[in-house]
Amino acid sequence: MPLYMDIHRGVDGSAEDVIEAHKKDVETQQKHGVKYLNYWFSDDEDAVFCLFEGPSKEAGEKVHKEAHGLTADEIFEVEQGE
């Protein structure tokens, strides 16, 4: 299954807010055939990065939209390095 990294810029929220949003993604992911694997956030840059497997970029975006409404600014298909 393809692997994707999305970026949310200008995030105005605490670490706890990010944790809760990720929990909501995990609760919603199966419905769209997506599996969120990990996430990172930068308080300095007000950014969140999410790594997920799924059938398409759009499927990951549907999870975010349904789970909490915080859609990504960009989504990239990526490959795991060795």
Side-chain angles (χ1 to χ4, degrees), residues 13-55:
S14 67
E16 292 79 19
D17 294 332
V18 174
I19 292 166
E20 285 304 311
H22 179 71
K23 286 179 183 177
K24 290 178 182 178
D25 286 333
V26 171
E27 292 169 1
T28 308
Q29 67 188 2
Q30 188 173 7
K31 179 177 178 181
H32 299 283
V34 171
K35 182 177 182 183
Y36 277 85
L37 303 172
N38 212 332
Y39 67 96
W40 300 263
F41 60 94
S42 170
D43 284 333
D44 292 340
E45 298 294 328
D46 294 331
V48 175
F49 306 86
C50 303
L51 181 67
F52 67 93
E53 291 178 329

Side-chain angles (χ1 to χ4, degrees), residues 65-79:
K65 189 171 186 175
E66 183 178 325
H68 45 67
L70 304 172
T71 56
D73 293 295
E74 296 179 80
I75 303 175
F76 301 95
E77 187 169 351
V78 297
E79 294 183 28

Side-chain angles (χ1 to χ4, degrees), residues 12 34 61:
D12 183 25
V34 171
E61 193 70 354

